[in-house]
Amino acid sequence: MNDEIERTGVDPALASLLDPGEAAALALAELLRADTLLIDERKGRAVARARGLRIQGTLGLLVEARRAGVLGSLRAVLDDLANTGFRVSAPLMAEALRQVGEE
C-alpha cells in the first residue's frame, strides 16, 4: 500500500484515514480545486468537509437529475442500484422520493 500511496501522490495522513479510492478522489478534488466532490461514505464525507470541500452524495445527484428531467423515475434507478448492492436508509430514500414527487 505504501508504494501505491507514493505512486498516486496521496497524502499518507489522508490515506491512513480513508480507503484508497476515497483518499484518491479527495486528493484529486483538492488538486483540481473541484467545486464539488461526489462521495457517499460517512467518514469520507466528514474528512472532505473538514478539508473545506463541498460534497454531494449519489442520492443528491440523482434527485437533481430527476428534477432536471434527466431521469424518468428516481424509484426505478434506486431499485436498480439496490440490486447492485448500493445501500441507503429507508428514511433517506423516502425523503428523496418525496422531493421529486414519487412518494
Side-chain angles (χ1 to χ4, degrees):
M1 172 122 156
N2 287 337
D3 291 338
E4 182 179 334
I5 291 169
E6 288 178 23
R7 185 175 49 78
T8 61
V10 173
D11 175 9
L14 184 61
S16 71
L17 293 172
L18 305 173
D19 73 40
E22 288 175 327
L26 202 149
L28 184 60
E30 290 179 332
L31 178 68
L32 297 176
R33 296 188 175 125
D35 178 51
T36 304
L37 173 64
L38 180 64
I39 189 165
D40 287 319
E41 296 296 327
R42 187 174 298 156
K43 190 172 186 180
R45 291 167 75 101
V47 171
R49 278 191 199 106
R51 294 173 74 109
L53 290 168
R54 181 175 166 238
I55 59 162
Q56 182 166 29
T58 301
L59 193 56
L61 183 67
L62 292 172
V63 166
E64 283 187 23
R66 175 64 174 92
R67 287 179 176 159
V70 175
L71 298 177
S73 167
L74 178 59
R75 184 178 305 276
V77 172
L78 292 176
D79 289 345
D80 288 345
L81 283 172
N83 289 332
T84 67
F86 182 80
R87 294 174 299 163
V88 62
S89 72
L92 193 55
M93 184 182 300
E95 175 59 20
L97 292 169
R98 186 197 62 73
Q99 288 180 19
V100 299
E102 292 186 39
E103 343 6 41

